[in-house]
């Protein structure tokens, strides 16, 4: 997978809501951690973010991984998504349009599709705001337009 390339404007909106709901002392950035995800590939093509949410303990993808705070793991991400979606779509989707217009893809779809891994992936033209929850602890937010 390619390295994660988060959209700063989209991340700023998400982080602002994290500060509001959690308090600034509870918002932390871990930086690059060596994990790999297809969100890296996606964020080279369209704007997106991949924030992590707490409420769990144990090692990711292991038998000792468990949810210890259901509100933090399930309810908080839903609130953050809702607040972020409202900001993106308010005022005729002004912020969403700004993000998609200013986004400079690191790869174009045709170049990405030439990699051996990507040849089997169909990347359709998509419109809309997509909020994807991967699991209780991490989530990805992608915004794309028909021009992506």
């Amino acid at each position: 997978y390619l390295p994660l390339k988060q959209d700063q404007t989209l991340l700023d909106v998400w982080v602002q809501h994290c500060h509001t709901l959690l308090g600034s002392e509870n918002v932390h950035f871990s930086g690059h951690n060596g994990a790999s995800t297809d969100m890296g590939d996606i964020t080279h093509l369209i704007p997106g973010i991949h924030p992590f949410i707490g409420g769990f303990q144990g090692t990711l993808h292991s038998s000792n991984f468990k949810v210890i705070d259901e509100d933090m793991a399930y309810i908080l991400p839903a609130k953050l998504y809702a607040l972020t979606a409202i900001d993106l779509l308010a005022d005729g989707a002004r912020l969403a349009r700004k993000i998609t217009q200013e986004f400079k893809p690191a790869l174009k779809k045709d170049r990405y599709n030439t990699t051996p891994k990507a040849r089997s992936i169909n990347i359709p033209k998509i419109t809309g705001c997509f909020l994807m929850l991967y699991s209780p602890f991490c989530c990805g937010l992608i915004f794309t337009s028909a021009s992506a």
Side-chain angles (χ1 to χ4, degrees):
Y1 296 114
L2 294 168
L4 186 64
K5 184 179 175 294
Q6 300 194 87
D7 181 83
Q8 191 61 52
T9 303
L10 193 51
L11 185 61
D12 290 345
V13 172
W14 179 272
V15 168
Q16 174 188 339
H17 293 303
C18 289
H19 286 280
T20 300
L21 295 181
L22 294 167
S24 296
E25 69 279 5
N26 296 310
V27 178
H28 308 283
F29 294 90
S30 61
H32 182 72
N33 64 11
S36 63
T37 172
D38 56 353
M39 274 301 285
D41 289 20
I42 292 168
T43 58
H44 276 68
L45 301 166
I46 57 177
I49 60 173
H50 194 301
F52 284 82
I53 304 297
F56 66 93
Q57 70 179 20
T59 305
L60 301 177
H61 308 293
S62 73
S63 60
N64 72 347
F65 180 83
K66 65 181 179 181
V67 173
I68 58 170
D69 183 338
E70 290 183 352
D71 187 67
M72 175 70 79
Y74 304 119
I75 305 302
L76 178 65
K79 290 177 180 178
L80 291 167
Y81 278 131
L83 291 168
T84 302
I86 288 168
D87 285 350
L88 287 169
L89 301 175
D91 193 22
R94 181 190 55 76
L95 183 57
R97 291 176 199 282
K98 175 184 183 288
I99 290 170
T100 57
Q101 289 168 356
E102 292 178 358
F103 181 74
K104 305 271 188 283
L107 285 176
K108 295 288 186 182
K109 178 182 165 182
D110 58 344
R111 182 164 170 233
Y112 177 77
N113 281 340
T114 62
T115 63
K117 178 184 74 138
R119 287 186 188 129
S120 63
I121 300 171
N122 179 24
I123 305 173
K125 287 194 175 215
I126 303 170
T127 60
C129 184
F130 294 85
L131 308 176
M132 305 184 320
L133 181 62
Y134 290 104
S135 68
F137 64 91
C138 73
C139 38
L141 178 67
I142 302 171
F143 190 85
T144 183
S145 70
S147 63

